[in-house]
């Protein structure tokens, strides 16, 4: 009996060590953009596609999980579109699973959205925005509504009426919501609490200020609004009142042009990030519309993108992400990009500099 117990303890120790030794899914050598010999400004850090990736990343996989094979029933992102980040947690809109994956990096949990049932049921969640007070606003194109949940993911209310709007993205600006309406090719402005329309801008067309199939919306530090004008193959910049300020890009296959523009984001320095699902990359521009660099690209290797859709810029929790960076690469902010297909669904890059 003592011998058997001793053998069990030895085996237990070996298995526990094996569990603890599993590392996060990172490339064997750093992937930088631009490539050498240019000075690197962006590094691919890691990717999250399932709860297994999170377990490896956090080191929280339990011995019971290892022994009982729970890793075989891993939660998986199927087809993501939108993503948001708040308080150490990613919120990934999965249009096929009809849920939002709540991926808590600090707690090491990977769970479906609790409010996506009953009156708060999700049909096709495309994008999500999170208010500073924790309220979540989800653009659900299947329900043709903006669904509102509290900071604990409990359903509160639905905004908008079916057949009156086709919301594909939502931006929170004070007490207002700016809603990308792909049905009427405009940005609608709603009261945040009631969903009452109080304004809007854009109309079907191709002139400056016109929109055709707007897909995504973002805001810079000065309050200006950027719209992915997908059907016109460009980014348009507006004031909050809808005054047209600038146009970036246009149709073409040259650097700085677009074929299928999707997600848009702006960092604190005013650099503009635009996803192109056809080029399968993210192009980065300055405020004058000059192309600075791009990241991603077609392929299956780490850092590549397959039908990417959304890009966000993360300025918090940099210490958490810094551990994935090369020893001499200091992060200034983090870039997260969703891929609808391919092995890596949520791709995480670091923008920074070599020390």
């Amino acid at each position: 009996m003592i011998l058997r117990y001793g053998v069990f303890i030895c085996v237990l120790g070996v298995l526990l060590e094996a569990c603890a030794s599993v590392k996060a899914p990172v490339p064997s050598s750093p992937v930088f953009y631009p490539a050498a010999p240019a000075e690197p400004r962006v590094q691919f850090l890691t990717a999250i596609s399932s709860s297994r990736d999170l377990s490896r990343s956090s080191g929280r996989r339990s011995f019971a999980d290892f022994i009982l094979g729970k890793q075989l029933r891993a939660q998986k992102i199927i087809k993501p579109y939108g993503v948001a980040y708040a308080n150490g947690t990613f919120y990934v809109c999965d249009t096929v699973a009809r849920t939002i994956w709540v991926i808590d990096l600090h707690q090491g949990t990977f769970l479906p959205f609790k409010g996506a049932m009953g009156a708060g049921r999700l049909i096709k969640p495309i994008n999500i925005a999170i208010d500073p007070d924790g309220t979540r606003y989800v653009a659900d194109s299947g329900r043709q509504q903006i669904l509102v949940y509290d900071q604990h993911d409990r359903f509160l209310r639905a905004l908008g009426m079916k057949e009156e709007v086709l919301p594909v993205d939502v931006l929170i600006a004070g007490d207002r919501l700016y809603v990308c309406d792909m049905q009427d090719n405009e940005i609608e402005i709603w009261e945040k609490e009631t969903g009452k329309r109080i304004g809007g801008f854009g109309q079907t067309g191709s002139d400056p200020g016109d929109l055709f199939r707007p897909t995504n919306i973002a805001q810079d530090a000065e309050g200006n609004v950027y719209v992915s004008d997908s059907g016109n193959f460009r980014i348009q910049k507006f004031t909050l009142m809808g005054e047209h300020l600038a146009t970036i890009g246009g149709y073409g296959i040259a650097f700085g042009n677009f074929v299928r523009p999707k997600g848009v984001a702006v960092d604190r320095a005013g650099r503009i990030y635009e996803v192109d699902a056809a080029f399968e990359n993210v192009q980065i521009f300055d405020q004058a519309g000059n192309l600075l660099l791009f990241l991603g690209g077609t392929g299956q290797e780490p850092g590549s993108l397959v039908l990417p859709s959304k890009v966000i810029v993360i300025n918090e929790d940099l210490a958490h992400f810094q551990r994935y960076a090369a020893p001499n690469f200091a992060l200034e902010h983090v870039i997260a990009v969703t891929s609808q297909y391919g092995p890596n669904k949520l791709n995480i890059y670091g923008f920074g500099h070599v020390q």
Side-chain angles (χ1 to χ4, degrees):
M1 178 65 72
I2 294 176
L3 178 60
R4 290 179 180 175
Y5 180 76
V7 170
F8 173 76
I9 291 299
C10 288
V11 172
L12 175 63
V14 170
L15 292 177
L16 284 173
E17 183 178 357
C19 289
S21 65
V22 177
K23 302 298 182 182
V26 295
S28 56
S29 59
V31 177
F32 286 115
Y33 306 90
E39 179 184 356
R41 292 310 309 270
V42 176
Q43 181 187 347
F44 173 72
L45 301 178
T46 188
I48 300 174
S49 300
S50 74
S51 53
R52 294 183 193 178
D53 295 331
L54 189 63
S55 297
R56 286 193 292 265
S57 174
S58 66
R60 290 178 178 270
R61 179 181 169 194
S62 72
F63 176 69
D65 289 346
F66 185 85
I67 292 295
L68 298 177
K70 290 184 180 179
Q71 70 274 22
L72 298 177
R73 300 191 297 273
Q75 303 276 28
K76 296 181 180 180
I77 303 172
I78 301 176
K79 189 179 180 183
Y81 194 102
V83 60
Y85 185 85
N87 301 317
T89 302
F90 282 109
Y91 297 80
V92 181
C93 295
D94 193 326
T95 58
V96 170
R98 297 186 176 187
T99 192
I100 297 169
W101 295 109
V102 182
I103 305 171
D104 191 321
L105 301 182
H106 300 310
Q107 297 297 321
T109 55
F110 190 115
L111 301 170
F113 200 66
K114 292 186 295 185
M117 59 185 71
R121 180 174 63 97
L122 297 166
I123 296 178
K124 193 173 183 180
I126 299 292
N127 273 300
I128 179 171
I130 301 178
D131 209 12
D133 67 5
T135 307
R136 293 84 156 95
Y137 294 82
V138 180
D140 190 314
S141 64
R143 289 187 54 159
Q144 295 182 255
Q145 292 177 311
I146 301 295
L147 306 180
V148 187
Y149 305 82
D150 69 12
Q151 61 182 329
H152 303 294
D153 302 336
R154 294 175 299 208
F155 178 69
L156 297 176
R157 57 191 175 274
L159 305 178
M161 299 293 292
K162 279 191 173 185
E163 300 182 2
E164 291 185 1
V165 63
L166 181 59
V168 291
D169 202 1
V170 57
L171 168 71
I172 304 166
D175 60 356
R176 296 180 176 184
L177 299 179
Y178 287 71
V179 179
C180 269
D181 180 5
M182 192 177 283
Q183 176 175 281
D184 295 323
N185 296 315
E186 66 176 343
I187 304 301
E188 295 196 0
I189 306 174
W190 298 1
E191 287 184 350
K192 187 168 66 174
E193 292 300 318
T194 66
K196 178 183 177 182
R197 178 179 172 136
I198 55 177
F201 55 88
Q203 61 181 4
T204 303
S206 58
D207 291 335
D210 291 345
L211 297 170
F212 184 53
R213 298 186 68 80
T215 58
N216 292 85
I217 187 169
Q219 189 175 31
D220 66 18
E222 297 178 351
N224 297 310
V225 173
Y226 299 74
V227 179
S228 288
D229 188 8
S230 181
N232 288 317
F233 314 102
R234 63 191 182 185
I235 305 167
Q236 295 207 69
K237 179 180 177 180
F238 300 89
T239 67
L240 281 172
M241 298 304 295
E243 177 187 356
H244 179 262
L245 297 176
T247 298
I248 297 173
Y251 179 74
I253 60 173
F255 292 136
N257 288 336
F258 304 114
V259 175
R260 293 183 65 188
K262 296 290 185 180
V264 61
V266 188
D267 68 22
R268 289 182 291 191
R271 290 177 288 251
I272 304 159
Y273 300 71
E274 179 69 22
V275 171
D276 194 300
F279 295 153
E280 298 190 312
N281 67 8
V282 177
Q283 299 188 68
I284 306 176
F285 299 86
D286 65 16
Q287 281 290 311
N290 300 309
L291 179 65
L292 302 176
L293 62 99
F294 63 86
L295 58 92
T298 301
Q300 300 289 316
E301 63 273 9
S304 299
L305 299 167
V306 184
L307 202 64
S309 52
K310 181 76 171 187
V311 58
I312 60 171
V313 172
I314 301 168
N315 296 306
E316 56 187 286
D317 289 329
L318 294 188
H320 175 87
F321 297 103
Q322 183 67 53
R323 59 181 172 159
Y324 299 110
N328 61 340
F329 191 73
L331 300 184
E332 298 173 23
H333 58 262
V334 169
I335 307 158
V337 185
T338 53
S339 274
Q340 295 183 74
Y341 295 101
N344 296 330
K345 297 301 196 297
L346 178 60
N347 301 271
I348 302 169
Y349 306 80
F351 189 101
H353 60 276
V354 176
Q355 294 179 316

